[in-house]
Amino acid sequence: MTSILALAASEFRIALRNRWVAIAIVMMTLFAVVLTVAGTAATGTLGVDRLTVTVASLISLGVYLLPLLALLLSFDAVAGECERGTLALMLTYPVGRAEILAGKFIAHLGILALAATIGFGTAAAIALIADPEASVGLPALFRLFWTAPVLGAAFLGIGYALSAVARRPGAAAGLAIAVWLVVVVLYDIALLAAIVTDGGGTFTVDFFPWLLAANPADAFRLFNLAASEATALASGVDGAAASMPPAATLVAILAWPLLALAFAHLVFRRVTP
């Protein structure tokens, strides 16, 4: 455990020096505040409090930004060490590959959790100051706080696996962006196209909700939307939040980080310095 914490501290210092911590915090806070200020204009029309609208906006922000930040933090984790020749040096010390991966994971997860807490907390504070009665949305906000790092953990594991497969930072970066586009953007578009083609048939009723739960980003969105009145603001793909069992999306959210990290470790074991 001492070796893991030492590696995590070293990785965090490297991220500080490379401005990744500042970049993650600024990006999350900036987008969260902009969405909060823009989204609260609709509270009177929708008949819901400001914090509920803010949480709905932050859920969408988390779906797109957290996976991207996680992949940007993790794509260089193995490939960069291989290219710089530092992986061979690290393996000469009494530390295993699982410990190396765990140290990087703790540091990167801490960066994501810090960025999400500051960004979401700032947006929530603005909503609460503007509408003191918005405290009814606090349970949904707390659920968002703890699920955000879990979503980030899933994509950190995916990023480590891609980095170990590619073994070159350039190739790993390309794979990371491709995975983000497919999982976060194109996946939902493909499901919507399938729904239109199906016309309310078997696919829409029996398969569509479960395919959403199988995607870590969509499972995160559905689980959080189901937490409060934010479900009333959902439309399109997000409308499935009302029909999905919360237990199914919760299992998907918790299972993805474990599966991704296990696969990353399996691939990392095959990497030769």
Side-chain angles (χ1 to χ4, degrees), residues 41-236:
T43 54
T45 304
L46 296 170
V48 293
D49 62 275
R50 286 177 180 266
L51 188 56
T52 296
V53 176
T54 297
V55 168
S57 300
L58 295 179
I59 291 169
S60 297
L61 174 64
V63 166
Y64 289 98
L65 196 53
L66 282 170
L68 181 61
L69 287 174
L71 290 170
L72 289 177
L73 284 170
S74 59
F75 81 88
D76 192 48
V78 178
E81 301 285 2
C82 289
E83 186 173 70
R84 292 187 293 269
T86 52
L87 180 60
L89 178 62
M90 291 175 67
L91 292 176
T92 61
Y93 295 105
V95 57
R97 295 181 186 236
E99 292 172 306
I100 294 174
L101 209 59
K104 290 178 177 291
F105 175 73
I106 292 173
H108 293 155
L109 185 63
I111 294 170
L112 288 176
L114 180 64
T117 300
I118 294 176
F120 294 165
T122 302
I126 293 173
L128 288 169
I129 291 172
D131 182 9
E133 297 181 359
S135 58
V136 296
L138 285 176
L141 179 67
F142 292 146
R143 181 182 291 203
L144 178 63
F145 271 129
W146 74 260
T147 53
V150 178
L151 175 64
F155 281 89
L156 284 175
I158 293 172
Y160 297 147
L162 296 176
S163 185
V165 169
R167 304 190 186 186
R168 292 292 180 271
L175 286 175
I177 296 301
V179 167
W180 181 81
L181 285 172
V182 170
V183 175
V184 177
V185 180
L186 298 180
Y187 188 87
D188 287 349
I189 294 175
L191 288 182
L192 286 174
I195 290 175
V196 173
T197 304
D198 184 55
T202 303
F203 174 82
T204 303
V205 176
D206 297 330
F207 295 100
F208 170 66
W210 298 102
L211 287 173
L212 280 179
N215 183 309
D218 285 328
F220 166 83
R221 176 160 42 197
L222 297 182
F223 182 71
N224 281 284
L225 282 175
S228 71
E229 296 177 6
T231 307
L233 308 177
S235 62

Side-chain angles (χ1 to χ4, degrees), residues 247-272:
T249 51
L250 177 60
V251 169
I253 290 173
L254 297 177
W256 261 103
L258 299 176
L259 293 174
L261 287 169
F263 181 68
H265 179 246
L266 180 63
V267 178
F268 185 33
R269 289 176 57 186
R270 301 173 182 270
V271 175
T272 53

